[in-house]
Amino acid sequence: MPHTAPRFLYLTRHAEAAEDGSGLTEVGRRQAVLLGERLRGVPLTAIHHGPLPRAAQTARLVGDRLDGVPLRLSAAAGDYVPHVPAREELPAEAADAVLGFPDRIPAEERRRGPGLAAAALAEFTGPVAGEEPRHELVVTHNFLVGWLVRAALDAPEWRWIGIDHAHAALTVIRYVPGRPAALVLFNDAGHLPAELRWTGFPPELHV
């Protein structure tokens, strides 16, 4: 029987981005550097990132603070809608609000999202082959963090909606053979000073 070992999956939403999509703001660059400092000493084997500039630049700045951890581009780590719910999946009192949210997303993103979401589960989750634990970082976007967290908790597929993540905060999921996935850390921004925390959230949710 093949051996399997634990996987520790570190997730972050890209740092704060410029409105034109060209890359990070100065705040975002500071956030990414501090996240890299936070991860020094973690035995990461890879930094996976989505193709958009804000994710790629965050990954590079994090990687610059680490020693020789390779960067790996992954379409599965990109920005897309992982699952568009049907009305019958949803609690009646929340259905109208929830269904209105994916409708605002471009049709192409909604079309390709489920396939990429399935690829993300296959690529990034579960125990790994071999005897050595694996630690990996995925620099991604809000929707995929929500999708992977809800999967770790065995929540319904639609429940990725409403799981929000701050820029450059840290979430950790542990996958151990023969056990349910464990959410070890969620949306932790302890490495960021107060003025750099909670970007990506509306002002009323800043704490």
Side-chain angles (χ1 to χ4, degrees):
M1 187 176 193
H3 290 287
T4 55
R7 183 202 305 256
F8 293 84
L9 184 66
Y10 298 73
L11 297 169
T12 192
R13 183 183 181 185
H14 62 83
E16 184 184 74
E19 290 186 8
D20 64 4
S22 60
L24 302 181
T25 64
E26 178 57 32
V27 163
R29 289 189 287 272
R30 291 172 61 200
Q31 290 171 329
V33 168
L34 290 168
L35 177 59
E37 292 289 347
R38 167 79 178 267
L39 292 169
R40 288 182 68 85
V42 174
L44 293 173
T45 58
I47 300 172
H48 306 275
H49 64 86
L52 294 179
R54 56 189 182 271
Q57 188 176 353
T58 300
R60 285 196 300 272
L61 288 170
V62 170
D64 286 347
R65 314 307 296 177
L66 308 176
D67 295 322
V69 180
L71 302 182
R72 296 180 180 167
L73 175 64
S74 171
D79 193 13
Y80 52 85
V81 173
H83 173 73
V84 178
R87 181 172 290 274
E88 55 267 24
E89 294 178 62
L90 302 169
E93 66 277 8
D96 288 342
V98 170
L99 289 171
F101 170 63
D103 285 347
R104 298 195 295 270
I105 306 299
E108 174 59 18
E109 283 190 36
R110 287 185 275 126
R111 184 196 64 77
R112 66 189 181 90
L116 290 168
L121 290 175
E123 185 174 350
F124 301 132
T125 72
V128 297
E131 298 184 355
E132 293 295 323
R134 184 187 301 171
H135 297 253
E136 298 170 283
L137 172 66
V138 178
V139 180
T140 185
H141 302 265
N142 197 45
F143 293 173
L144 184 59
V145 175
W147 175 250
L148 295 176
V149 168
R150 78 92 216 146
L153 298 176
D154 288 326
E157 288 187 320
W158 71 268
R159 199 58 186 87
W160 68 270
I161 297 172
I163 300 177
D164 292 320
H165 206 272
H167 293 133
L170 191 63
T171 286
V172 181
I173 303 172
R174 181 181 63 197
Y175 304 93
V176 176
R179 300 182 191 175
L183 185 62
V184 177
L185 197 68
F186 177 70
N187 205 29
D188 188 307
H191 49 288
L192 302 177
E195 68 272 15
L196 300 184
R197 294 181 188 176
W198 300 111
T199 64
F201 276 55
E204 65 269 19
L205 296 181
H206 292 196
V207 295

